[in-house]
Amino acid sequence: MIAEDFQLRDNHRQEEVEMNSSNITCRDSDYSNHTCFKLEQHYFEPVFRAKTVVQALAAVTGCLVILMIVQFKAYKNFVQRLHLYLAVAAIFNCIAFTLNSLPVENRCGYMFVTNEHFCQASGFLDQYTTWVILLLVCWITLQILLLGVFKRNYKSHKYELVGVVITLVVPLVASSIPFIDLGNGSMYGLAGTWCWIKTTDDDCNELIEGDIEQFVLWYGTVMVFVTLNLLAMLAVVIVLYRGTKQERGRLQHQYKEALKETRPLIMYTFIFSIFYTLSFVDRVHYANTKVRDSTLWVIHAMAESSLPLFLTLAFLLHPGNLRRVRKAAKSLIHRSEVVETHFIVSQEDETALEPLVIRGTERESSHYSFPALS
């Protein structure tokens, strides 16, 4: 019994030594696989699991949006295709977010990555796809502004190819800048609890270049766009409110139809603005205090990962799209009832011509009477 007690104590001491040594390894690694960001396990695991579930749901809803657009052939005009572009971008953004979480581990309370090159690649994809969504939302806002305030949208589809090229090329350039070596190698790495632009070096010293790139290439830029988008939406709402009261009888039919199709796009601008404002608040708080607030961090992590889900749900739950779904469901039910009725009638006709059994005596007969031959 005494020997067992000594063995248990030795095992406990050995575990403490291993934990202490692992803590030293976590703090003093020779390679850049951590950012000295400490997070308790009870925060890390639930948030990462929730992010994974949310991203899976967002991918599913994005596929449903694409299927609905294809089913209803809602891709024939420019405004409808904007919904399609945003759904495709949301799906790729979900894939990038999922890849971003794969190499991240929590050891000794510190964040680690299992593969530095994979972390850099996933950070780049995250930055690129999020930039694509940002430019698509700005494109949508510009479309609403041209139509609602300046009443010009009839030839906007002529610039669609140019817009697509800008939406794909500009994020590529902006997302490639962190790969430039400024003396500390690539700036992509583990930034907190996910892979992005890192803000500390291998010795846990703060990288001013990382803070600058984060704000210039994302947080600052996105808040400028959010502010401009909200101002544009405010102008559109004021003009539409006054226009519907004063010019209802003089609006052209084509303009009214275009306005009807464009109004649902407004929700994308507001959703994007709200979610990234929450992220911006957490980043500014950390930049000023250098202390990570766990509540703000959780909101930040869930807001960014939930954005694709809410963008796709906004399309699926829009009243106009719900009416389309109900109408299609009623049509499908009506068709199934017609087919079932036709099948029952056909079955009755077939059984009517079968032999009848009367009191155990079988005779060939028919429900139909034929005239006697004269």
Side-chain angles (χ1 to χ4, degrees), residues 22 46 76 78 90 96 134 150 179 193 201 203 213 258 268 278 287 344 347:
S22 61
K76 296 182 178 180
F78 171 68
L134 169 63
F150 301 102
F179 282 119
T193 54
D201 61 13
D203 299 322
E213 288 191 6
Y268 296 133
L278 296 175
I344 294 174
Q347 290 286 68

PDB file of all heavy atoms in Angstrom, residues 22 46 76 78 90 96 134 150 179 193 201 203 213 258 268 278 287 344 347:
ATOM      1  N   SER A  22       6.553  21.474 -20.753  1.00  0.00           N
ATOM      2  CA  SER A  22       5.773  21.795 -21.948  1.00  0.00           C
ATOM      3  C   SER A  22       5.396  23.255 -21.966  1.00  0.00           C
ATOM      4  O   SER A  22       5.311  23.880 -23.023  1.00  0.00           O
ATOM      5  CB  SER A  22       4.507  20.910 -22.014  1.00  0.00           C
ATOM      6  OG  SER A  22       3.691  21.147 -20.876  1.00  0.00           O
ATOM      7  N   PRO A  46     -15.313  24.961 -26.951  1.00  0.00           N
ATOM      8  CA  PRO A  46     -16.690  25.263 -27.379  1.00  0.00           C
ATOM      9  C   PRO A  46     -16.764  26.209 -28.567  1.00  0.00           C
ATOM     10  O   PRO A  46     -17.592  26.021 -29.459  1.00  0.00           O
ATOM     11  CB  PRO A  46     -17.314  25.901 -26.124  1.00  0.00           C
ATOM     12  CG  PRO A  46     -16.471  25.450 -24.991  1.00  0.00           C
ATOM     13  CD  PRO A  46     -15.092  25.320 -25.537  1.00  0.00           C
ATOM     14  N   LYS A  76     -31.230  35.519 -64.669  1.00  0.00           N
ATOM     15  CA  LYS A  76     -31.308  36.064 -66.026  1.00  0.00           C
ATOM     16  C   LYS A  76     -30.935  37.533 -66.094  1.00  0.00           C
ATOM     17  O   LYS A  76     -30.563  38.021 -67.157  1.00  0.00           O
ATOM     18  CB  LYS A  76     -32.714  35.852 -66.584  1.00  0.00           C
ATOM     19  CG  LYS A  76     -33.071  34.377 -66.755  1.00  0.00           C
ATOM     20  CD  LYS A  76     -34.443  34.196 -67.359  1.00  0.00           C
ATOM     21  CE  LYS A  76     -34.768  32.715 -67.560  1.00  0.00           C
ATOM     22  NZ  LYS A  76     -36.100  32.518 -68.140  1.00  0.00           N
ATOM     23  N   PHE A  78     -28.983  41.088 -64.098  1.00  0.00           N
ATOM     24  CA  PHE A  78     -27.780  41.429 -63.337  1.00  0.00           C
ATOM     25  C   PHE A  78     -28.011  41.379 -61.827  1.00  0.00           C
ATOM     26  O   PHE A  78     -27.199  40.830 -61.081  1.00  0.00           O
ATOM     27  CB  PHE A  78     -27.309  42.825 -63.760  1.00  0.00           C
ATOM     28  CG  PHE A  78     -26.218  43.383 -62.895  1.00  0.00           C
ATOM     29  CD1 PHE A  78     -24.954  42.823 -62.909  1.00  0.00           C
ATOM     30  CD2 PHE A  78     -26.452  44.466 -62.076  1.00  0.00           C
ATOM     31  CE1 PHE A  78     -23.945  43.332 -62.110  1.00  0.00           C
ATOM     32  CE2 PHE A  78     -25.454  44.985 -61.276  1.00  0.00           C
ATOM     33  CZ  PHE A  78     -24.196  44.411 -61.304  1.00  0.00           C
ATOM     34  N   ALA A  90     -19.769  33.029 -50.371  1.00  0.00           N
ATOM     35  CA  ALA A  90     -20.015  32.586 -48.997  1.00  0.00           C
ATOM     36  C   ALA A  90     -19.584  31.139 -48.804  1.00  0.00           C
ATOM     37  O   ALA A  90     -19.010  30.779 -47.765  1.00  0.00           O
ATOM     38  CB  ALA A  90     -21.492  32.746 -48.644  1.00  0.00           C
ATOM     39  N   ALA A  96     -12.704  28.260 -46.477  1.00  0.00           N
ATOM     40  CA  ALA A  96     -11.487  28.899 -45.974  1.00  0.00           C
ATOM     41  C   ALA A  96     -11.485  28.952 -44.451  1.00  0.00           C
ATOM     42  O   ALA A  96     -10.459  28.698 -43.798  1.00  0.00           O
ATOM     43  CB  ALA A  96     -11.364  30.310 -46.552  1.00  0.00           C
ATOM     44  N   LEU A 134     -16.452  41.344 -49.181  1.00  0.00           N
ATOM     45  CA  LEU A 134     -16.481  42.788 -48.941  1.00  0.00           C
ATOM     46  C   LEU A 134     -16.758  43.550 -50.238  1.00  0.00           C
ATOM     47  O   LEU A 134     -17.626  44.440 -50.278  1.00  0.00           O
ATOM     48  CB  LEU A 134     -15.149  43.232 -48.336  1.00  0.00           C
ATOM     49  CG  LEU A 134     -14.904  44.745 -48.262  1.00  0.00           C
ATOM     50  CD1 LEU A 134     -15.921  45.402 -47.355  1.00  0.00           C
ATOM     51  CD2 LEU A 134     -13.489  45.049 -47.791  1.00  0.00           C
ATOM     52  N   PHE A 150     -29.919  57.835 -57.962  1.00  0.00           N
ATOM     53  CA  PHE A 150     -29.692  58.423 -59.282  1.00  0.00           C
ATOM     54  C   PHE A 150     -30.581  57.814 -60.364  1.00  0.00           C
ATOM     55  O   PHE A 150     -30.553  58.266 -61.506  1.00  0.00           O
ATOM     56  CB  PHE A 150     -28.219  58.252 -59.677  1.00  0.00           C
ATOM     57  CG  PHE A 150     -27.270  58.887 -58.705  1.00  0.00           C
ATOM     58  CD1 PHE A 150     -26.585  58.127 -57.780  1.00  0.00           C
ATOM     59  CD2 PHE A 150     -27.090  60.268 -58.701  1.00  0.00           C
ATOM     60  CE1 PHE A 150     -25.702  58.706 -56.885  1.00  0.00           C
ATOM     61  CE2 PHE A 150     -26.210  60.855 -57.806  1.00  0.00           C
ATOM     62  CZ  PHE A 150     -25.517  60.082 -56.894  1.00  0.00           C
ATOM     63  N   PHE A 179       2.693  38.334 -47.683  1.00  0.00           N
ATOM     64  CA  PHE A 179       3.758  37.396 -48.030  1.00  0.00           C
ATOM     65  C   PHE A 179       5.105  38.110 -48.206  1.00  0.00           C
ATOM     66  O   PHE A 179       6.158  37.462 -48.212  1.00  0.00           O
ATOM     67  CB  PHE A 179       3.419  36.644 -49.317  1.00  0.00           C
ATOM     68  CG  PHE A 179       2.432  35.530 -49.112  1.00  0.00           C
ATOM     69  CD1 PHE A 179       1.211  35.535 -49.766  1.00  0.00           C
ATOM     70  CD2 PHE A 179       2.726  34.467 -48.275  1.00  0.00           C
ATOM     71  CE1 PHE A 179       0.310  34.514 -49.587  1.00  0.00           C
ATOM     72  CE2 PHE A 179       1.828  33.430 -48.086  1.00  0.00           C
ATOM     73  CZ  PHE A 179       0.600  33.454 -48.748  1.00  0.00           C
ATOM     74  N   THR A 193      -6.050  32.754 -32.213  1.00  0.00           N
ATOM     75  CA  THR A 193      -6.602  31.394 -32.268  1.00  0.00           C
ATOM     76  C   THR A 193      -6.921  30.953 -33.677  1.00  0.00           C
ATOM     77  O   THR A 193      -7.615  29.952 -33.870  1.00  0.00           O
ATOM     78  CB  THR A 193      -7.883  31.320 -31.419  1.00  0.00           C
ATOM     79  OG1 THR A 193      -8.784  32.345 -31.842  1.00  0.00           O
ATOM     80  CG2 THR A 193      -7.563  31.501 -29.954  1.00  0.00           C
ATOM     81  N   ASP A 201       6.528  38.077 -32.959  1.00  0.00           N
ATOM     82  CA  ASP A 201       7.580  37.265 -33.572  1.00  0.00           C
ATOM     83  C   ASP A 201       7.796  35.993 -32.754  1.00  0.00           C
ATOM     84  O   ASP A 201       7.019  35.671 -31.847  1.00  0.00           O
ATOM     85  CB  ASP A 201       8.878  38.070 -33.704  1.00  0.00           C
ATOM     86  CG  ASP A 201       9.410  38.536 -32.353  1.00  0.00           C
ATOM     87  OD1 ASP A 201       8.925  38.036 -31.301  1.00  0.00           O
ATOM     88  OD2 ASP A 201      10.308  39.395 -32.329  1.00  0.00           O
ATOM     89  N   ASP A 203       9.889  35.335 -30.476  1.00  0.00           N
ATOM     90  CA  ASP A 203      10.200  35.572 -29.069  1.00  0.00           C
ATOM     91  C   ASP A 203       9.089  36.328 -28.345  1.00  0.00           C
ATOM     92  O   ASP A 203       9.316  36.916 -27.286  1.00  0.00           O
ATOM     93  CB  ASP A 203      11.500  36.371 -28.950  1.00  0.00           C
ATOM     94  CG  ASP A 203      12.676  35.616 -29.544  1.00  0.00           C
ATOM     95  OD1 ASP A 203      12.712  34.371 -29.365  1.00  0.00           O
ATOM     96  OD2 ASP A 203      13.531  36.249 -30.187  1.00  0.00           O
ATOM     97  N   GLU A 213      -0.440  46.043 -40.874  1.00  0.00           N
ATOM     98  CA  GLU A 213      -1.056  45.309 -41.984  1.00  0.00           C
ATOM     99  C   GLU A 213      -2.471  44.869 -41.647  1.00  0.00           C
ATOM    100  O   GLU A 213      -3.353  44.872 -42.518  1.00  0.00           O
ATOM    101  CB  GLU A 213      -0.184  44.108 -42.354  1.00  0.00           C
ATOM    102  CG  GLU A 213       1.114  44.488 -43.050  1.00  0.00           C
ATOM    103  CD  GLU A 213       1.834  43.290 -43.631  1.00  0.00           C
ATOM    104  OE1 GLU A 213       1.255  42.171 -43.592  1.00  0.00           O
ATOM    105  OE2 GLU A 213       2.961  43.453 -44.120  1.00  0.00           O
ATOM    106  N   ALA A 258     -37.286  47.260 -61.550  1.00  0.00           N
ATOM    107  CA  ALA A 258     -35.892  47.150 -61.112  1.00  0.00           C
ATOM    108  C   ALA A 258     -35.761  47.459 -59.624  1.00  0.00           C
ATOM    109  O   ALA A 258     -35.001  46.811 -58.895  1.00  0.00           O
ATOM    110  CB  ALA A 258     -35.015  48.094 -61.927  1.00  0.00           C
ATOM    111  N   TYR A 268     -28.083  42.678 -47.261  1.00  0.00           N
ATOM    112  CA  TYR A 268     -26.692  42.223 -47.242  1.00  0.00           C
ATOM    113  C   TYR A 268     -25.771  43.291 -46.662  1.00  0.00           C
ATOM    114  O   TYR A 268     -24.859  42.990 -45.889  1.00  0.00           O
ATOM    115  CB  TYR A 268     -26.227  41.860 -48.652  1.00  0.00           C
ATOM    116  CG  TYR A 268     -26.968  40.706 -49.268  1.00  0.00           C
ATOM    117  CD1 TYR A 268     -27.447  40.776 -50.567  1.00  0.00           C
ATOM    118  CD2 TYR A 268     -27.173  39.533 -48.561  1.00  0.00           C
ATOM    119  CE1 TYR A 268     -28.116  39.718 -51.141  1.00  0.00           C
ATOM    120  CE2 TYR A 268     -27.840  38.465 -49.124  1.00  0.00           C
ATOM    121  CZ  TYR A 268     -28.318  38.564 -50.421  1.00  0.00           C
ATOM    122  OH  TYR A 268     -28.983  37.519 -50.978  1.00  0.00           O
ATOM    123  N   LEU A 278     -18.717  44.494 -34.947  1.00  0.00           N
ATOM    124  CA  LEU A 278     -18.435  43.746 -33.718  1.00  0.00           C
ATOM    125  C   LEU A 278     -16.982  43.272 -33.689  1.00  0.00           C
ATOM    126  O   LEU A 278     -16.309  43.351 -32.653  1.00  0.00           O
ATOM    127  CB  LEU A 278     -19.381  42.549 -33.612  1.00  0.00           C
ATOM    128  CG  LEU A 278     -20.878  42.877 -33.468  1.00  0.00           C
ATOM    129  CD1 LEU A 278     -21.698  41.593 -33.510  1.00  0.00           C
ATOM    130  CD2 LEU A 278     -21.143  43.637 -32.175  1.00  0.00           C
ATOM    131  N   ALA A 287      -5.946  46.373 -29.282  1.00  0.00           N
ATOM    132  CA  ALA A 287      -4.847  47.243 -29.698  1.00  0.00           C
ATOM    133  C   ALA A 287      -4.556  48.317 -28.657  1.00  0.00           C
ATOM    134  O   ALA A 287      -3.396  48.704 -28.456  1.00  0.00           O
ATOM    135  CB  ALA A 287      -5.185  47.891 -31.041  1.00  0.00           C
ATOM    136  N   ILE A 344     -55.263   6.195 -59.666  1.00  0.00           N
ATOM    137  CA  ILE A 344     -56.402   5.498 -59.058  1.00  0.00           C
ATOM    138  C   ILE A 344     -57.468   5.193 -60.100  1.00  0.00           C
ATOM    139  O   ILE A 344     -58.030   4.094 -60.151  1.00  0.00           O
ATOM    140  CB  ILE A 344     -56.987   6.348 -57.909  1.00  0.00           C
ATOM    141  CG1 ILE A 344     -55.960   6.441 -56.771  1.00  0.00           C
ATOM    142  CG2 ILE A 344     -58.297   5.763 -57.409  1.00  0.00           C
ATOM    143  CD1 ILE A 344     -56.371   7.376 -55.663  1.00  0.00           C
ATOM    144  N   GLN A 347     -56.354   2.363 -62.195  1.00  0.00           N
ATOM    145  CA  GLN A 347     -56.486   1.105 -61.475  1.00  0.00           C
ATOM    146  C   GLN A 347     -57.930   0.636 -61.446  1.00  0.00           C
ATOM    147  O   GLN A 347     -58.226  -0.546 -61.600  1.00  0.00           O
ATOM    148  CB  GLN A 347     -55.959   1.270 -60.047  1.00  0.00           C
ATOM    149  CG  GLN A 347     -54.452   1.444 -59.952  1.00  0.00           C
ATOM    150  CD  GLN A 347     -53.730   0.129 -60.209  1.00  0.00           C
ATOM    151  OE1 GLN A 347     -53.739  -0.402 -61.321  1.00  0.00           O
ATOM    152  NE2 GLN A 347     -53.112  -0.396 -59.178  1.00  0.00           N
TER     153      GLN A 347
END
